[in-house]
């Protein structure tokens, strides 16, 4: 069974950094597109970043230059390094992949950016 488990969320001050992890099981991340999404209160869930099986990355305009998606194939884990955090980055962050035509989601991890 495919499972995605996020971790690394928490409370951080504006301008600070946080690294989120997405540990995958039941599938090999290098064979699929992996993504990070977020959902803030009162807003739609939005795509933050993706990484393809070949390692190509894409980012939402709002996070370009601040966030980096990466992976450790040996650990079968995807990361989201978040720098220069802003209060508007506050959201629940979700890991995602499409496996055999089905969207798979993690449980989410809360990121709160506040002084």
């Amino acid at each position: 069974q495919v499972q995605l488990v996020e971790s690394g969320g928490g409370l951080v001050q504006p301008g600070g950094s946080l690294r989120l992890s997405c540990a995958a099981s039941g599938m090999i991340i290098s064979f699929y597109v992996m993504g990070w999404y977020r959902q803030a209160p009162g807003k739609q869930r939005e795509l933050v970043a993706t990484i393809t099986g070949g390692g190509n990355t894409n980012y939402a305009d709002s996070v370009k230059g601040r966030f980096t998606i990466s992976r450790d194939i040996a650990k079968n884990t995807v990361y989201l390094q978040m720098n220069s955090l802003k209060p508007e980055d506050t959201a629940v962050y979700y890991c995602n992949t499409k496996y055999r035509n089905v969207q798979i989601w993690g449980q989410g991890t809360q990121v709160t950016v506040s002084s």
Side-chain angles (χ1 to χ4, degrees):
Q1 181 176 324
V2 175
Q3 285 191 288
L4 304 175
V5 180
E6 301 98 333
S7 61
L11 175 64
V12 65
Q13 294 183 350
S17 297
L18 212 56
R19 189 178 75 158
L20 307 183
S21 298
C22 172
S25 60
M27 51 86 71
I28 305 299
I29 62 169
S30 60
F31 295 163
Y32 301 90
V33 178
M34 306 295 297
W36 284 98
Y37 289 72
R38 67 186 182 187
Q39 188 164 22
K43 296 187 67 178
Q44 298 256 63
R45 187 172 297 187
E46 65 174 342
L47 180 64
V48 175
T50 60
I51 184 165
T52 70
N56 298 121
T57 59
N58 281 283
Y59 300 91
D61 288 342
S62 59
V63 307
K64 284 181 181 176
R66 300 188 299 120
F67 290 12
T68 303
I69 187 170
S70 63
R71 64 189 178 185
D72 186 330
I73 294 174
K75 295 182 178 179
N76 211 37
T77 298
V78 181
Y79 303 96
L80 185 68
Q81 178 67 47
M82 305 185 294
N83 299 325
S84 302
L85 283 161
K86 305 173 180 179
E88 50 263 45
D89 295 318
T90 296
V92 178
Y93 284 71
Y94 298 91
C95 185
N96 164 268
T97 192
K98 187 176 183 180
Y99 178 79
R100 290 197 160 191
N101 209 38
V102 176
Q103 295 288 337
I104 307 297
W105 297 90
Q107 82 287 351
T109 185
Q110 176 71 48
V111 172
T112 302
V113 184
S114 176
S115 59

